[in-house]
Structures are given as C-alpha cells and as structure tokens.
C-alpha cells in the first residue's frame, strides 16, 4: 500500500510545529458513515435517483425545479436528514487537529452536519453549501423552525401497490407570512453561497500567504466538480503544499498538477487512521470515535485500496517507492 502521501504530511507537521491545516472536504468523507456521495458511478446518489422521476439528477437540488415539484427533495431529505448518522474517523481526525491547535479551517460542501456532530467548533467551520440546521421561505426568507420542518418530512400518505413503487405524499412546509415554499438553508443550484464562504476565504488566502508558517491545504473526498468550491485548490498560493486524499485524482490536481502536490489515492478513513498513527494521536482519535480497537477495513475500502495499489504499480513500476 502506497502511503507516501500520508507519511509526507505527518513529516511536514512534525518538522513545522506551528504549521496549521485548512481542510477542504466533500461527500467522500461521509461515505464511511453510510451516506452515499453524489457522483460515484454505482453507489452515488445521482445514479440512484431514477426512482424519483427527475428530468436530470441534479434537479433534486435545483431551485427552479423545487418550486415546481418539491417531492423528490422531500423524499431525499427524509433519508438524508441529520441525526441518523454518526461522524467518520476522518471527521474526528479534524477534531483532533483542533484539539492539538493545528486546525485553521474546515471548508465543507457537505450538508449532513457531521462536522458539528464531531464537535468541531463553529469558528473553524465553513459550511459552503449550507445545511439542514435552519430553514427559510424561498420568497421572503422568513425562517421556519427545524422541528416543524422535520415533521413535514413525515409522509401524510404512503400507498403500497403490489408490484409498484410506494407512492408517498407530503404536506409541504409553507411560509407563515407569504405561503411560499420553505426549504432548509442548503445551497441549491441557482443560489449563491453564504457570505461567510467568500469572506472567510478572502481572509484565509491572506493567512496562507504567510510563508513563515509552512501551512498546508488538505483536500479530501470530493470530485471538485461544483463551483465555486471546486476552484479553491487552484487559488492556493504556489508556496503552500496541496494535499489530496481521495479515491481518484480530481480537479486542479489532475488538470494543473504542481510538483509540490502530495497525493494519497485511498479512503479518507484509512488516511485518518494512518496519519493519527504517524503523529502519535491514535489514543485521542480512538477516544473521540469511541472505540477500543482500530476498525477493520470494510469490503468496499479494501477493493478501492487494492485497485489504487494496482494502478500505482502500473504507472510507477520503474522508480516505485516501497
Ligand atoms: P462527489 O460525489 O461529487 O465526489 C465524491 C468524491 O469522493 C469522489 O471523487 C469519490 O471517488 C470520492 N470518495 C468517495 N468515498 C470516499 C472515501 N471514503 N475516501 C476517499 N474518497 C472517497 O461529492 P462532492 O464533491 O462533495 O451539493 O459534491 C459536491 C456537491 O455536489 C455537493 O455538495 C452537492 C452536490 O450537488 C449540495 O448538496 C448542495
Ligand atoms: Zn415567505
């Protein structure tokens, strides 16, 4: 197994004791929690949404489509609603970074609120695509309580017909003031990202330019295909090493690779386990995860690990690092 991309990060952090990290993360860090990502070919949400009868998969998060037909979003939100899932090892690794004073920021595209669940403090957190933590009217922005919205996700009618898919009916949440539809504060396609995303990134870019600190940017579990988030890695100043931990090489790491890029092709949880070991943080991580012993790899992770190993062999046969 090629873990060079993890060992290098550990060495860097050990050699530069005041270096801190900005994490940029996506759905891949939550797949070990049982939440599907979006674009993985067989297991991703977008290839499994045919049952919702959408014109195109992303329509489930499209603001115009939602106004026309909120049912697919309600069906999905019911399944994905926070509270049903526990943070992954990787989420907790970010918390260990916070505890050790090595965390500068977490930019997340995820709406599952598992960073909060892992008790990462709000000041470090930028939920770039919003979250289920509040709701607003789509016309007048009046807020709507989380408890009331959650009640609306309970179907008012489910029709079971033999040989057919269940027909679910909802009573949609409507604004108390103007009667328009209400939705969670998740950024849909066609909506802008929260001001905190832009403001914080502007400050963090300045912070990254401080050459003395030897800070790092670590990108994990994202296909880097949704903008503007996807452009963050390309804006990282050239003197700051960029790290990618992902099943595949994506975005700017693929299109405009830099000689200083550090890449580990594998699972986010495996990277978390390995880095914690290299840093001597295993006990802290285990305590947060609430486990006595390290978790064995699950079958999907094992397959991915083997695949990535084989790929490494093909490409770097001549000067392979052992
Ligand atoms: P994607 O599904 O597009 O990408 C997930 C990436 O993580 C893929 O490259 C996978 O190969 C990889 N991956 C999956 N599980 C992994 C694991 N355990 N370890 C390492 N890598 C893993 O998800 P995002 O990039 O987050 O918008 O998608 C971006 C946005 O598109 C989402 O925020 C969402 C969607 O439309 C909203 O929810 C508003
Ligand atoms: Zn309203």
């Amino acid at each position: 197994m090629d873990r060079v991309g993890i060992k290098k990060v550990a060495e860097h952090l050990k050699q530069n004791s005041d270096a801190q990290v900005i994490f940029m993360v996506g759905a891949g860090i939550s797949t070990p929690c049982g939440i599907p990502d979006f674009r993985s070919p067989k297991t991703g949400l977008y290839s499994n949404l045919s049952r919702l009868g959408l014109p195109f998969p992303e329509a489930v998060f499209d603001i115009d489509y939602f106004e026309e037909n909120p049912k697919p979003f309600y069906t999905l939100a019911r399944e994905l609603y926070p509270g049903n899932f526990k943070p992954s090892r990787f989420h907790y690794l970010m918390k260990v970074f916070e505890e050790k004073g090595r965390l500068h920021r977490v930019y997340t595209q995820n709406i599952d609120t598992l960073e909060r669940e892992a008790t990462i403090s709000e000041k470090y957190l930028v939920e770039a695509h919003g979250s289920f933590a509040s709701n607003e009217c789509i016309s007048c922005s009046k807020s709507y309580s989380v408890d009331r919205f959650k009640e609306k996700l309970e179907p008012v009618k489910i029709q079971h017909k033999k040989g057919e898919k269940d027909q679910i009916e909802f009573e949609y949440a409507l604004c108390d003031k103007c009667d328009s539809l209400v939705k969670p504060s998740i950024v849909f396609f066609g909506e802008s990202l929260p001001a905190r995303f832009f403001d914080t990134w502007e400050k963090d870019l300045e912070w990254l330019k401080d050459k003395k600190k030897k800070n790092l940017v670590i990108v994990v579990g994202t296909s880097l295909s949704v903008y503007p988030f996807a452009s963050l890695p390309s804006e990282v100043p050239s003197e700051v090493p960029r790290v990618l931990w992902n099943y595949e090489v994506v975005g700017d790491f693929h299109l405009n690779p830099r000689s200083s890029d550090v890449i580990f092709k594998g699972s986010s949880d495996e990277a978390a386990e390995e880095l914690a070991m290299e840093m001597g943080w295993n006990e802290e991580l285990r305590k947060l995860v609430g486990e006595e012993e390290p978790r064995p790899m699950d079958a999907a992770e094992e397959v991915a690990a083997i695949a990535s190993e084989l790929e490494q062999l093909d490409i770097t046969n001549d000067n392979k690092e052992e």
Side-chain angles (χ1 to χ4, degrees):
M1 178 84 265
D2 178 22
R3 295 196 172 100
V4 179
I6 300 168
K7 287 207 166 76
K8 271 192 184 164
V9 172
E11 268 160 37
H12 182 101
L13 291 171
K14 282 194 256 181
Q15 279 164 14
N16 303 284
S17 57
D18 60 351
Q20 289 183 318
V21 169
I22 293 182
F23 288 100
M24 298 173 177
V25 302
I29 68 164
S30 296
T31 57
C33 316
I35 305 174
D37 67 8
F38 296 90
R39 296 177 183 79
S40 281
K42 289 205 178 78
T43 54
L45 264 179
Y46 289 152
S47 63
N48 285 290
L49 290 178
S50 55
R51 67 196 161 91
L52 300 181
L54 293 160
F56 55 99
E58 284 91 347
V60 71
F61 291 121
D62 187 283
I63 192 66
D64 295 331
Y65 186 79
F66 176 78
E67 274 195 83
E68 233 172 77
N69 179 15
K71 192 165 157 180
F73 174 74
Y74 269 70
T75 312
L76 194 64
R78 199 174 150 239
E79 285 171 31
L80 294 183
Y81 209 81
N84 302 332
F85 303 98
K86 276 176 60 184
S88 68
R89 212 169 204 79
F90 183 82
H91 286 100
Y92 285 120
L93 177 76
M94 295 194 290
K95 179 64 186 179
V96 178
F97 269 81
E98 177 182 338
E99 289 175 349
K100 299 286 180 188
R102 309 300 291 270
L103 183 66
H104 183 72
R105 202 80 67 195
V106 176
Y107 287 85
T108 181
Q109 297 168 92
N110 299 344
I111 53 174
D112 55 30
T113 59
L114 288 180
E115 294 85 4
R116 295 176 188 220
E117 198 73 22
T119 69
I120 294 169
S121 308
E122 238 169 82
K123 64 176 174 182
Y124 295 111
L125 201 54
V126 177
E127 291 172 323
H129 293 167
S131 80
F132 281 101
S134 60
N135 308 285
E136 295 191 340
C137 164
I138 61 170
S139 300
C140 78
S141 303
K142 188 178 163 46
S143 66
Y144 191 97
S145 89
V146 171
D147 289 341
R148 277 176 80 199
F149 190 84
K150 210 174 166 187
E151 277 170 27
K152 299 290 183 191
L153 291 179
E154 284 307 315
V156 285
K157 199 164 99 190
I158 304 181
Q159 258 184 3
H160 306 280
K161 276 194 192 159
K162 233 184 166 180
E164 276 179 38
K165 284 178 194 155
D166 291 353
Q167 289 297 318
I168 303 181
E169 298 298 333
F170 296 97
E171 189 186 285
Y172 302 125
L174 299 177
C175 176
D176 299 319
K177 201 166 131 196
C178 75
D179 220 32
S180 302
L181 284 162
V182 167
K183 77 168 202 21
S185 311
I186 292 168
V187 179
F188 277 31
F189 292 106
E191 291 187 311
S192 62
L193 273 61
R196 176 167 165 78
F197 170 80
F198 299 101
D199 298 346
T200 313
W201 181 237
E202 201 178 310
K203 278 189 228 141
D204 285 354
L205 260 180
E206 283 310 305
W207 176 82
L208 278 172
K209 285 177 189 155
D210 177 356
K211 290 191 183 124
K212 287 184 280 278
K213 287 231 179 101
K214 305 263 186 258
N215 297 313
L216 287 179
V217 168
I218 309 186
V219 180
V220 192
T222 170
S223 64
L224 290 178
S225 46
V226 175
Y227 288 84
F229 195 101
S231 65
L232 298 185
S234 62
E235 291 170 27
V236 170
S238 57
E239 59 272 24
V240 177
R242 306 184 305 181
V243 178
L244 176 71
W245 294 340
N246 208 49
Y247 283 154
E248 44 177 357
V249 181
V250 292
D252 211 52
F253 291 89
H254 172 65
L255 296 171
N256 294 300
R258 301 177 183 177
S259 57
S260 54
D261 285 348
V262 177
I263 294 179
F264 163 70
K265 272 175 78 177
S267 99
S268 50
D269 268 13
E270 196 193 338
E273 182 73 26
E274 188 75 14
L275 188 83
M277 202 171 75
E278 293 284 337
M279 296 300 294
W281 295 350
N282 337 32
E283 273 316 303
E284 289 86 340
L285 181 61
R286 209 151 291 156
K287 241 183 233 155
L288 287 168
V289 175
E291 271 180 7
E292 297 299 319
E293 293 299 322
R295 186 180 63 87
M297 264 198 246
D298 69 26
E301 284 173 330
E302 208 135 11
V303 171
I306 293 167
S308 110
E309 206 167 346
L310 285 177
E311 212 159 325
Q312 291 288 336
L313 276 178
D314 264 1
I315 303 163
T316 56
N317 224 357
D318 300 342
N319 53 357
K320 182 169 68 129
E321 285 188 79
E322 274 303 340

